[in-house]
Amino acid sequence: MSSLVFFFVPAVIFVGLVLPLWLVLHYISKWRSAKGLSGEDKQALETALAEVDRLEDRLRTLETILDADHPNWRDEQAVK
């Protein structure tokens, strides 16, 4: 009986106190590390924003050309 108590009491203490505390602290540290963007995510975001800026400039240029060649092109598109 004493050998059973020798293994049972530490197992209950471990499962009841240590394991939950360990899991909570582990997932808190995971949450904090995942809170911000990774370096790869930041690089992808910067690349996407640069592409958006390039496409906006291209769209402005095309609209300027259309305004010069066909002044009422916006009204014609709205009618269709």
Side-chain angles (χ1 to χ4, degrees), residues 66-79:
L66 281 171
D67 285 337
D69 289 346
H70 303 287
N72 296 327
W73 69 273
R74 293 174 204 254
D75 297 332
E76 293 171 5
Q77 291 297 319
V79 172

Side-chain angles (χ1 to χ4, degrees), residues 1-11:
M1 179 75 175
S2 68
S3 64
L4 182 64
V5 172
F6 181 72
F7 289 110
F8 183 70
V9 171

Side-chain angles (χ1 to χ4, degrees), residues 29-48:
S29 68
K30 287 285 188 181
W31 174 72
R32 284 185 181 166
S33 67
K35 198 173 185 180
L37 294 176
S38 68
E40 185 177 305
D41 291 339
K42 287 180 183 178
Q43 181 64 34
L45 183 59
E46 288 175 7
T47 303

Side-chain angles (χ1 to χ4, degrees), residues 11-74:
V12 168
I13 291 172
F14 180 77
V15 171
L17 297 175
V18 176
L19 187 62
L21 183 60
W22 187 1
L23 287 172
V24 167
L25 292 175
H26 169 73
Y27 283 109
I28 286 174
S29 68
K30 287 285 188 181
W31 174 72
R32 284 185 181 166
S33 67
K35 198 173 185 180
L37 294 176
S38 68
E40 185 177 305
D41 291 339
K42 287 180 183 178
Q43 181 64 34
L45 183 59
E46 288 175 7
T47 303
L49 288 174
E51 184 70 16
V52 166
D53 289 339
R54 189 182 70 78
L55 290 173
E56 283 180 343
D57 290 341
R58 186 174 179 177
L59 183 62
R60 277 192 214 103
T61 302
L62 290 172
E63 286 178 345
T64 303
I65 292 170
L66 281 171
D67 285 337
D69 289 346
H70 303 287
N72 296 327
W73 69 273
R74 293 174 204 254

